Amino acid sequence: MGLTPQEILMIDDLYKNARSSVKLNGEQSNAFNIEQGVRQGGTLSADLYKVYVNDLLNEICNTGFGGHIGTINCSAPTCADDLTITSNSQFEAQILVNIANDYSKRESYIIQPTKSVVLPIQTNTNAHNDTTLLMDDREMPTVDKTTHVGIQRSNCNTQLVTAEENIKKARRALYSLMASGLHGENGLDPSTSISTFRTYVMPILLYGLDVVMTNSKSLKILQSFYKKTIKQILSLPISTADPAIYLLSGLLPINAEIDIKIITLLGNILCSDKSTVEWKIANRQLKIKSCKSNSWFIDAKKICFKYQLTDQ
């Protein structure tokens, strides 16, 4: 991580003699010492866990097994403790699962059996519907959708599943804000309402849509929820024309908001260090894939062309 000795001492002091307690049904337990793990919700927690789990990721990648894009190893995409193993081979996948399971035992942490699932992905050439993987001699459950880094992944229609889940979460966020006056008529003034919507609801509605690019069906239901919500916040008739709601609210159409997130993500990847897996994949895909490819990078490139963001 490139930390100075002083920073290492500061982190050590932060976790030294750490104590916690459990609150349940209004009652709080006695405090107990924390012997393992990182602080829940701590600013440094994700980065510290990445350092801790990096040996496992190196061990997985060094096998040469698992998913590849060209010659680039993509067998273990991970964010903190959210690890995914990708493979086109059941044999290789089982080896990588065994490595992860053995590592957890050596490091004395428990892999949640209910969250450890198999998601077969249907492609044009492979279905993998009969894949069976074992962990500690127990068969891992096979599912048709699961969550990775907060994004819904489905075996056949990830875009629609993600859009539907985001709408559910955004609707719950709207309900929780109704007490503060975010309910249109006789509520907060329009400017404050739109600012609240943009700050607290839109990040939930748009989460992960820069990674899982929307298709026509998922974009349609997102647009419907988005426009209906803005009309309710501004107390506008349901028949109000789309240009009017965007002019009055100062918001962009949802497809433009998603495009901004995609362009931002692409820019971050292209500006990252050339040794990163993300940069290597971007470099490969942009150089060898045609405009007819289903690659995320080609779709992102088309969006840049749409807004005339070309390399002059």
Side-chain angles (χ1 to χ4, degrees), residues 129-190:
N129 291 326
D130 57 348
T131 301
T132 300
L133 298 178
L134 303 177
M135 182 180 291
D136 286 332
D137 297 325
R138 293 194 304 269
E139 185 176 335
M140 297 171 63
T142 300
V143 298
D144 57 5
K145 62 180 179 180
T146 188
T147 303
H148 178 56
V149 294
I151 300 174
Q152 286 287 320
R153 295 289 184 176
S154 170
N155 58 4
C156 59
N157 199 343
T158 292
Q159 296 94 331
L160 183 60
V161 171
T162 301
E164 291 173 341
E165 186 66 22
N166 284 10
I167 289 172
K168 289 179 185 177
K169 293 178 180 178
R171 188 175 285 117
R172 287 198 293 266
L174 283 169
Y175 289 153
S176 69
L177 292 167
M178 287 182 67
S180 65
L182 188 65
H183 49 71
E185 192 173 352
N186 297 324
L188 297 170
D189 62 272

Side-chain angles (χ1 to χ4, degrees), residues 26-45:
E27 297 187 9
Q28 190 164 329
S29 71
N30 295 328
F32 54 87
N33 294 328
I34 299 176
E35 305 291 345
Q36 187 174 351
V38 294
R39 293 179 181 272
Q40 184 71 26
T43 305
L44 291 174
S45 295

